[in-house]
Amino acid sequence: MDIEAMIRRRQRQDDESRLVEEYEPLSPATHVEEPTDRGRLLERLLDHVDPVFDGHLPPHGYLYGPKGAGKSAVVTALFAQLERLTDDPTTAIYTTTRVRPTRLVRFVYVDTRRHTSEFAFFHTLLDAITDEPIPRHGISTETLRSRLHRQLNTTGAGLLLAVDHVGEPGSTAAEALFDRFSALPSSVSWLAVGRTDPAETMLTDYTAAAIRVTPYRHHVLVDLLLRRATSALDSGALDEDAAVTVADWASGDAHDALTALFVATDRAARADHRTITDRDIAAAFEAVPPDCVALGRVFALPENKQTVLRALVDLDPADRESVTVATTAVADLTDLAEGTIKRYLYELAAVGIVDRVQAPENGESGRPPSRLEPKFPPTVFRRLYDLEVGKDR
């Protein structure tokens, strides 16, 4: 039971109750501070990082599992908490039976979806461990590496680095990532996070541990959906039977379960329903593409590519019947040049964000056009993108 969320919902209530109080808690791209029922996984991760409590670095590690299993949620929550406790001089992260070490260990999380280049990788590390502003222009990658070495050597600190979404389309490949690891000082240990089986990635040649994350168990996924609904929806909007239906359909994938719940909620709200109905849920299942792309990948794209996708999801099917037709239609809705739009569409198709669906042969000469279909749910992307634009874009 999330008492704080229930209180916040009461505080938000006005004279006219509404189904949706806040969309963000329903977002499959949102990570909460306390992931639902992942205590066993947290214990395994704490076992791995246990040397830091004595001021030593753990060996390199690899955390792996399927999409929607909570890997990123657990790692970001754990590293945020460890770094917060390390930063607070009044709070010891060491138990009373362990001697406080003289060596400080810092904790840094890097998302390779967002920081794909070598420059961005080292800039993120250096920026996380120093209070000095790090320029984004007019400085070389080699300078960043040198400053990182100097900073760690001067402070005597160790660095435990979590590198997420390794090897996914559009992120950093394992081979390139290992080259960056090789350029780090010996006072850095890394934990790579990905979906690839340990036997199929070179990174495990350099790790002492491979930690497997399994999909959410059914009852845990039901609880996760109900908790998120408590934070976002009016009381009683989602009943347990509906949550069970969504969990059954998602088969342990929390991302797809939350995506379906989001779509069902949006449909119910637009129809002025007071609760999420079976029809809303059935329509949501139809709206989630097969092999749905994680929304985190979409929102990690550069702003201009997101702008192109925002225009694309509003086009009629006839305006998406080929890359050329879609390019012209998107250009009418944005300030981007057609050449740039076309290049982006091909790049987005190459990494699987959109799908080029081949039209059936019609007997005419030449190659049939390829209709563009988003591999992510347009409803969720549209709503979250517009909320973000309304905030600060």
Side-chain angles (χ1 to χ4, degrees):
M1 179 182 299
D2 191 339
I3 298 176
E4 182 181 353
M6 295 171 71
I7 293 173
R8 286 201 307 269
R9 189 183 63 224
R10 296 272 179 165
Q11 290 174 328
R12 289 196 301 263
Q13 284 182 345
D14 50 27
D15 293 336
E16 183 179 353
S17 180
R18 55 186 180 273
L19 178 72
V20 185
E21 300 290 345
E22 187 178 1
Y23 271 102
E24 189 172 357
L26 295 179
S27 168
T30 295
H31 294 150
V32 297
E33 290 188 5
E34 296 289 340
T36 300
D37 195 31
R38 275 309 193 221
R40 190 175 304 173
L41 174 57
L42 278 168
E43 288 291 350
R44 293 182 64 194
L45 279 172
L46 284 169
D47 286 343
H48 176 69
V49 306
D50 189 73
V52 304
F53 297 102
D54 289 321
H56 305 296
L57 288 171
H60 305 315
Y62 180 58
L63 181 76
Y64 70 101
K67 176 179 74 70
K71 303 182 299 296
S72 298
V74 171
V75 170
T76 54
L78 176 61
F79 270 59
Q81 181 68 7
L82 288 171
E83 181 63 12
R84 187 158 51 243
L85 293 175
T86 302
D87 277 343
D88 185 354
T90 66
T91 305
I93 66 171
Y94 314 101
T95 67
T96 56
T97 59
R98 302 175 85 152
V99 179
R100 176 183 289 274
T102 57
R103 186 187 199 186
L104 174 69
V105 177
R106 302 296 303 270
F107 304 88
V108 178
Y109 171 87
V110 177
D111 185 348
T112 60
R113 290 171 174 169
R114 297 181 180 275
H115 306 107
T116 56
S117 70
E118 186 178 15
F119 178 91
F121 177 81
F122 285 102
H123 188 284
T124 301
L125 297 190
L126 186 58
D127 188 55
I129 65 172
T130 180
D131 293 331
E132 299 177 8
I134 310 299
R136 293 192 174 275
H137 305 284
I139 186 172
S140 67
T141 302
E142 179 58 38
T143 299
L144 291 175
R145 282 198 298 262
S146 298
R147 288 184 63 176
L148 177 66
H149 279 252
R150 187 165 59 250
Q151 176 72 19
L152 292 173
N153 290 336
T154 299
T155 62
L159 178 62
L160 180 55
L161 171 64
V163 185
D164 203 356
H165 304 118
V166 174
E168 291 184 14
S171 65
T172 308
E175 294 78 7
L177 192 59
F178 178 70
D179 289 340
R180 295 172 195 177
F181 288 159
S182 301
L184 294 171
S186 60
S187 55
V188 178
S189 179
W190 47 264
L191 174 69
V193 182
R195 299 180 192 171
T196 306
D197 187 270
E200 299 174 2
T201 176
M202 64 174 294
L203 291 176
T204 51
D205 293 340
Y206 307 92
T207 59
I211 303 170
R212 181 170 175 257
V213 184
T214 57
Y216 280 91
R217 290 172 293 172
H218 181 268
H219 74 277
V220 176
L221 191 51
V222 171
D223 186 49
L224 183 152
L225 293 169
L226 291 171
R227 284 173 179 264
R228 292 288 190 106
T230 297
S231 300
L233 307 180
D234 189 26
S235 179
L238 178 73
D239 62 31
E240 186 168 353
D241 287 343
V244 167
T245 299
V246 175
D248 284 341
W249 170 84
S251 300
D253 186 332
H255 175 276
D256 286 3
L258 286 167
T259 299
L261 176 58
F262 195 112
V263 175
T265 299
D266 188 75
R267 184 180 188 274
R270 286 186 286 106
D272 291 326
H273 295 165
R274 295 297 301 274
T275 61
I276 297 171
T277 68
D278 291 343
R279 287 187 177 183
D280 296 324
I281 292 174
F285 293 163
E286 292 293 325
V288 179
D291 300 321
C292 180
V293 167
L295 265 297
R297 280 185 61 194
V298 183
F299 285 109
L301 293 169
E303 186 173 330
N304 280 347
K305 286 187 177 180
Q306 290 189 47
T307 300
V308 169
L309 290 176
R310 179 62 185 87
L312 185 72
V313 298
D314 275 354
L315 298 182
D316 293 330
D319 290 328
R320 291 186 280 105
E321 66 181 15
S322 71
V323 173
T324 300
V325 172
T327 295
T328 302
V330 170
D332 290 340
L333 299 174
T334 69
D335 295 328
L336 298 173
E338 288 197 10
T340 300
I341 295 169
K342 179 174 284 190
R343 174 166 57 85
Y344 284 170
L345 290 175
Y346 278 117
E347 290 173 355
L348 291 166
V351 296
I353 300 293
V354 299
D355 197 10
R356 295 176 62 196
V357 180
Q358 197 78 21
E361 298 282 351
N362 56 13
E364 297 180 3
S365 61
R367 185 176 180 178
S370 300
R371 185 180 74 256
L372 292 177
E373 293 289 348
K375 291 291 290 178
F376 54 91
T379 298
V380 185
F381 173 70
R382 182 186 295 113
R383 174 73 70 172
L384 293 176
Y385 179 94
D386 291 351
L387 287 173
E388 188 64 26
V389 167
K391 282 190 219 172
D392 55 16
R393 279 194 187 178

